[in-house]
Amino acid sequence: MTVSRRQLLAAGAAAGTALTAGCTGFLSDTLSSTRATVSQAALDETGYDEHTVETVVIERTVGRFGIERTIEVENWYAEYDRAVSLDALGLSRVQGAVVAVLTTPQISFLGKTFNPVGEYSTDELVALIQDRYDQLENVRSVGESSISILGTETTLARYEANARLTSAGTSLDVYLQLSEPVAHGEDFVICVAVYPQVVGLETESESVRTMLSSLEHGD
């Protein structure tokens, strides 16, 4: 089943919620994140283009010590792509290399900070780009490396998998890269990249690193 970005983020409500019977209070609030985007210089260097920069608004409920708080959360989602040739698969050039950046606000409630994306699995995070790739299968970890994102050293995990390229309606082997969530300012930032396993595209990994290292947030 295909999961939309909105459904994915809303599902985080269950992961971060600890509701208790006999609530003593009910609070409501609105939290907004600040968008994180790839610098224009990095886009020029890598040949990627901006596909979309948009907000994804969801509601989530958090609770602690018997107190509930319902929050409207405004997340930012930025997506970039590059056309790649898939002649070996009988396809013309398609926008098959995708890099996505999500920012979601840190939610602090009664001394506890909830990370809406911290407990998501690999396939759930790939749902962020479900309009490009879906039906992720046979995910295999093939290593990880360190990368600096917004001044913080974090882990960039690398996987091999099989996924369906929705624009072509065909399945193919892909490389997948995921960053650990980075706390920056009052937000968490997480990055996802997917691109086909085609001879000559392994250099895409360096393009991904260039883009993620150039993120701008809070300017």
Side-chain angles (χ1 to χ4, degrees):
M1 178 180 67
T2 299
V3 180
S4 70
R5 284 189 285 275
R6 189 179 304 275
Q7 290 170 324
L8 172 69
L9 294 169
T17 302
L19 301 182
T20 305
C23 298
T24 60
F26 185 85
L27 301 174
S28 180
D29 203 356
T30 300
L31 293 177
S32 299
S33 62
T34 302
R35 65 182 180 179
T37 54
V38 176
S39 71
Q40 187 58 53
L43 294 179
D44 292 341
E45 179 181 343
T46 59
Y48 277 72
D49 294 309
E50 179 184 298
H51 175 70
T52 186
V53 177
E54 62 186 19
T55 58
V56 182
V57 179
I58 58 99
E59 284 190 354
R60 65 180 278 136
T61 301
V62 296
R64 203 176 191 204
F65 306 132
I67 301 175
E68 289 186 350
R69 184 177 182 179
T70 298
I71 305 170
E72 183 178 88
V73 181
E74 180 182 87
N75 309 276
W76 276 95
Y77 176 81
E79 184 176 292
Y80 306 87
D81 60 16
R82 188 175 77 83
V84 295
S85 176
L86 298 177
D87 292 338
L89 301 177
L91 301 173
S92 59
R93 291 180 66 83
V94 294
Q95 302 298 115
V98 183
V99 175
V101 183
L102 172 74
T103 58
T104 187
Q106 299 182 35
I107 301 175
S108 296
F109 184 48
L110 297 180
K112 181 177 176 62
T113 298
F114 296 91
N115 178 353
V117 295
E119 301 301 322
Y120 288 165
S121 65
T122 299
D123 55 348
E124 287 174 325
L125 289 170
V126 173
L128 290 171
I129 51 175
Q130 56 82 28
D131 56 339
R132 303 303 189 89
Y133 287 95
D134 63 8
Q135 298 179 10
L136 188 74
E137 298 177 337
N138 302 320
V139 179
R140 304 170 299 281
S141 175
V142 292
E144 60 183 39
S145 59
S146 179
I147 186 173
S148 178
I149 297 178
L150 296 168
T152 297
E153 288 294 318
T154 189
T155 298
L156 183 63
R158 190 164 179 269
Y159 303 85
E160 293 179 347
N162 183 266
R164 188 175 72 97
L165 180 61
T166 56
S167 63
T170 188
S171 294
L172 67 160
D173 293 330
V174 298
Y175 290 115
L176 166 67
Q177 292 182 274
L178 297 174
S179 74
E180 293 287 339
V182 170
H184 188 259
E186 297 182 351
D187 298 335
F188 285 108
V189 180
I190 190 165
C191 308
V192 183
V194 182
Y195 48 93
Q197 289 187 40
V198 178
V199 175
L201 282 183
E202 183 52 31
T203 55
E204 212 67 37
S205 178
E206 286 305 311
S207 294
V208 170
R209 295 185 66 88
T210 296
M211 295 172 68
L212 301 191
S213 298
S214 80
L215 289 187
E216 299 171 341
H217 176 245
D219 297 331

